[in-house]
Amino acid sequence: MAIHKELSRTRIGVQSSLDAAASNMIDIEVVGDANVLGESRTNTAPNNAQRRRRRDFTTPIHLQKSGSPVKLTAYLKGLAAVLGAGASPVAFSNASALSHQVLYRAAFGAELTPAAGSTVASSSGTPVDHIVVASGHGSRFVVGQIIAIERSGAAPWVRRVTAISTDTLTISPPLGSGESPDTSAVVRNLYQYYPGETDSTVFTVEHAYRETGTPITQMRALAVHGQAKITTEINAVGQVEFSGESVSHTTPGDLSLSTNPVADDMGSPLVWQPVLWWTAFGAAAPSVADLSKVAFTVPRKWQKVPGAVLEGVGAVHEVAGRGEPIELECEGLFDDEAWSEFASGTERALVAYTVVGSGSDARIAGFWCPRVQVVESPKITYMDALVSASFKVRALMATDISGATPSLSTAEIRTANIIWFVG
């Protein structure tokens, strides 16, 4: 039987326990040949028990299935429907969650509970740094999160909420003089992800090639956990590469999965045409940076706890810390700024996001790092005919929002090193 490698279906879902496959599986479109579970294996050990003859070989001993790799790549995509005032979003573990909600949650470790947005009732400040939303809607927002304020015929303003008083949002950086948003302009909430302080959530991943007759290549990975790399390059489609492993998996066979390829629930792929800010830490207004490429991984180190739940494992816990810093690889036009900031340890805020479309049709994706430092001596490279520089920055815990540090049991978006947002 011939099976075409490009005709396949991939699904992902959130497990409620280590040994129970997700009950709500969501289709996700992956890029390339989609060899998502093709390297899964059951390990063996040689059987060196005592034997009678020198060439009396014995069958190897089958070990547990733990450690089988799971790899998938997805395009960076926009939302099919944004989080406006009338939205009814759900958390990543809900049956109606978006496929990329599940993917980003697996990559970062924490999701800000999605909420509906609002509309502008009024604004104030010179420059504008306060937005009043519709009555009673202040509770839909959280200190530390990112919002987008729509503009008719133009790209939305993307800002961070630094304080909330009833329905008044303090935003940073301020809008420029003469940039007061229109009354009734939509204030979008966004899907937002950041490194969690604790995480033991695992996922189910299924993959089925399309084939005729009795399916023989369908596979399911249980208790998947890992990390992802996000790559953004000017005039290219952004990509999210998830790389993890499962605690257990099924061998290829018939899992009663429909093999008709299904489109996912996201919008169109987003070409990276970024707004880039490389600005003094805490500065009132952003400056533009000439970075042609930024790639980063939120490192996630996992530890298995021995137990009898699944394949000799009782639980998995994410335990990354200081030894696994969040670093962003940057490439941009050549000058001496990165060199001097490496030597002096200058702190910056690094913000990068792409907007495709305008007004209510605009779609947004990007990241916000409140504090970064250049931590690796820059190197001279070439960007076609121009001289460029490559350097690495480290994302530090945010300290730009005043007030007591929240307890570890609460959402830590206000102190997060990096916030990934989609809206």
Side-chain angles (χ1 to χ4, degrees):
M1 179 189 300
I3 301 174
H4 201 292
K5 66 182 182 181
E6 295 177 356
L7 297 177
S8 62
R9 182 181 186 186
T10 305
R11 305 201 301 173
I12 188 170
V14 184
Q15 293 183 207
S16 59
S17 62
L18 190 74
D19 58 340
S23 58
N24 300 306
M25 299 297 293
I26 303 169
D27 283 282
I28 182 169
E29 285 187 347
V30 298
V31 179
D33 298 335
N35 193 23
V36 177
L37 305 176
E39 298 178 22
S40 298
R41 62 188 181 272
T42 298
N43 296 324
T44 62
N47 187 343
N48 293 323
Q50 187 179 44
R51 62 201 67 186
R52 293 170 56 196
R53 302 182 186 278
R54 182 165 63 95
R55 297 197 178 274
D56 181 17
F57 296 115
T58 54
T59 303
I61 301 169
H62 282 217
L63 303 178
Q64 306 286 8
K65 298 178 182 179
S66 180
S68 292
V70 177
K71 299 178 181 179
L72 62 90
T73 300
Y75 284 134
L76 181 61
K77 290 187 175 184
L79 299 178
V82 300
L83 298 183
S88 300
V90 296
F92 74 98
S93 56
N94 190 281
S96 299
L98 301 176
S99 57
H100 281 211
Q101 275 187 269
V102 182
L103 178 63
Y104 293 136
R105 174 58 178 78
F108 284 85
E111 177 189 63
L112 182 66
T113 302
S118 187
T119 55
V120 174
S122 64
S123 59
S124 61
T126 307
V128 176
D129 59 356
H130 288 81
I131 302 293
V132 179
V133 296
S135 179
H137 286 185
S139 60
R140 297 181 176 184
F141 301 92
V142 172
V143 173
Q145 75 161 101
I146 315 301
I147 60 171
I149 306 167
E150 287 187 6
R151 294 188 288 170
S152 177
W157 287 299
V158 175
R159 294 295 186 267
R160 194 173 191 213
V161 177
T162 58
I164 300 175
S165 177
T166 313
D167 296 321
T168 300
L169 312 182
T170 304
I171 59 172
S172 178
L175 304 179
S177 298
E179 291 187 332
S180 297
D182 295 336
T183 301
S184 299
V186 173
V187 181
R188 293 188 194 178
N189 227 313
L190 306 173
Y191 291 98
Q192 300 175 63
Y193 305 86
Y194 53 96
E197 285 292 338
T198 59
D199 188 24
S200 58
T201 304
V202 292
F203 304 83
T204 300
V205 177
E206 296 175 342
H207 186 71
Y209 290 101
R210 185 173 184 179
E211 54 190 301
T212 58
T214 302
I216 60 172
T217 59
Q218 301 184 358
M219 296 187 69
R220 177 182 293 124
L222 292 178
V224 175
H225 51 285
Q227 62 186 21
K229 179 179 182 180
I230 296 178
T231 302
T232 58
E233 186 171 1
I234 288 178
N235 290 327
V237 179
Q239 293 195 356
V240 184
E241 304 171 59
F242 179 82
S243 177
E245 63 178 47
S246 65
V247 173
S248 186
H249 67 273
T250 64
T251 53
D254 183 2
L255 299 179
S256 300
L257 304 178
S258 170
T259 56
N260 288 325
V262 178
D264 66 15
D265 47 18
M266 300 298 295
S268 300
L270 298 181
V271 177
W272 191 251
Q273 306 170 57
V275 174
L276 276 159
W277 300 338
W278 176 256
T279 184
F281 174 59
S287 60
V288 177
D290 294 316
L291 297 180
S292 61
K293 182 178 181 180
V294 180
F296 65 90
T297 299
V298 175
R300 309 198 67 199
K301 182 179 180 181
W302 293 88
Q303 184 169 332
K304 297 183 179 69
V305 178
V309 178
L310 184 66
E311 306 287 2
V313 176
V316 293
H317 293 280
E318 202 266 344
V319 294
R322 292 183 181 179
E324 297 80 24
I326 300 170
E327 295 182 339
L328 299 90
E329 300 171 5
C330 304
E331 183 175 345
L333 295 182
F334 176 86
D335 58 31
D336 64 352
E337 185 175 24
W339 271 264
S340 62
E341 293 184 352
F342 168 69
S344 62
T346 303
E347 289 189 1
R348 295 280 190 175
L350 174 59
V351 179
Y353 61 92
T354 191
V355 179
V356 178
S358 62
S360 60
D361 293 327
R363 296 297 184 267
I364 305 165
F367 63 88
W368 194 295
C369 295
R371 290 175 63 209
V372 298
Q373 278 186 336
V374 179
V375 293
E376 186 175 284
S377 180
K379 300 176 179 63
I380 295 175
T381 58
Y382 299 103
M383 188 171 64
D384 294 329
L386 299 178
V387 178
S388 65
S390 64
F391 57 97
K392 186 178 293 185
V393 301
R394 181 170 297 174
L396 308 176
M397 190 183 81
T399 57
D400 57 320
I401 296 178
S402 60
T405 301
S407 64
L408 294 181
S409 62
T410 63
E412 293 284 349
I413 196 166
R414 75 174 68 181
T415 58
N417 311 53
I418 184 170
I419 302 168
W420 178 256
F421 53 91
V422 180

